Amino acid sequence: WYDAAGNLAARIIVALRDDDTSQWVNVKQYYANADANSFQVVEENLRYLKLMSPVKKDMEWMGNQFINTTGTLSYLSGWTYKYTSVDEQETFNGNSVDSVATVTQLDEQNAIQKNYSAEKFAKGLGLVYKEQQFLSCNSFCADWTHPESGTIVRKSMLAHN
């Protein structure tokens, strides 16, 4: 189907299972579209500008520019997305993947707080890795291996066709 801007859009269904013998369970769906200059994803009615053209190292853009970042979404304000690596070969769960671009979306830290978000996209495959860290300490944290509170979420490709 075509979205309100006239761009071809695709529905993406996210399915999970506990192990390789369990049944897949659909847990959410979102949609994505691309134009000549960008790749966008809409999740829970929030439009993220995930990739920009041309794909080149150190290119920056405001990836959350379409999101009203007031109230409960204020934590998404001011994120400057950046290609921190492009055309790299990487391995995910034993699968070697060529032409991987890393988009660092947020990378801020000080003595008591660390906020980090990045995604890796492979040419011809799409999103193959995602990591988010929102960590804090009441006193100085030297290396963030033992924060006092927060979350770390990592998602990685297991296999592909």
Side-chain angles (χ1 to χ4, degrees):
W1 90 90
Y2 290 88
D3 68 8
N7 294 312
L8 184 61
R11 182 173 57 155
I12 299 167
I13 298 171
V14 177
L16 301 174
R17 62 183 179 171
D18 292 330
D19 56 51
D20 58 358
T21 62
S22 300
Q23 293 292 318
W24 289 99
V25 177
N26 292 350
V27 294
K28 72 176 181 177
Q29 57 182 308
Y30 57 95
Y31 76 90
N33 64 351
D35 59 29
N37 300 313
S38 68
F39 173 74
Q40 302 173 23
V41 171
V42 178
E43 291 184 78
E44 299 178 20
N45 290 323
L46 302 174
R47 181 180 296 273
Y48 299 90
L49 189 51
K50 297 289 190 171
L51 301 171
M52 290 292 296
S53 181
V55 177
K56 65 179 191 174
K57 190 173 187 305
D58 297 324
M59 181 176 165
E60 296 181 347
W61 66 97
M62 300 305 292
N64 299 344
Q65 65 183 290
F66 300 115
I67 300 172
N68 180 354
T69 57
T70 59
T72 58
L73 299 176
S74 63
Y75 74 97
L76 293 171
S77 179
W79 289 27
T80 302
Y81 290 30
K82 180 179 181 177
Y83 289 119
T84 50
S85 68
V86 297
D87 292 324
E88 297 289 328
Q89 181 174 352
E90 296 199 32
T91 302
F92 304 96
N93 295 306
N95 298 286
S96 181
V97 179
D98 291 325
S99 301
V100 175
T102 300
V103 177
T104 301
Q105 301 156 331
L106 179 67
D107 191 3
E108 300 174 343
Q109 71 179 47
N110 56 39
I112 61 170
Q113 193 172 33
K114 178 180 180 180
N115 297 314
Y116 175 80
S117 181
E119 294 178 324
K120 295 177 182 262
F121 296 87
K123 189 174 185 178
L125 295 177
L127 181 66
V128 292
Y129 182 83
K130 180 175 186 166
E131 180 173 347
Q132 292 186 310
Q133 298 182 24
F134 299 99
L135 308 173
S136 62
C137 290
N138 291 329
S139 58
F140 181 74
C141 279
D143 63 4
W144 294 102
T145 56
H146 296 90
E148 293 172 358
S149 64
T151 60
I152 298 174
V153 176
R154 291 184 184 106
K155 297 178 181 179
S156 180
M157 175 190 81
L158 294 175
H160 67 86
N161 299 353

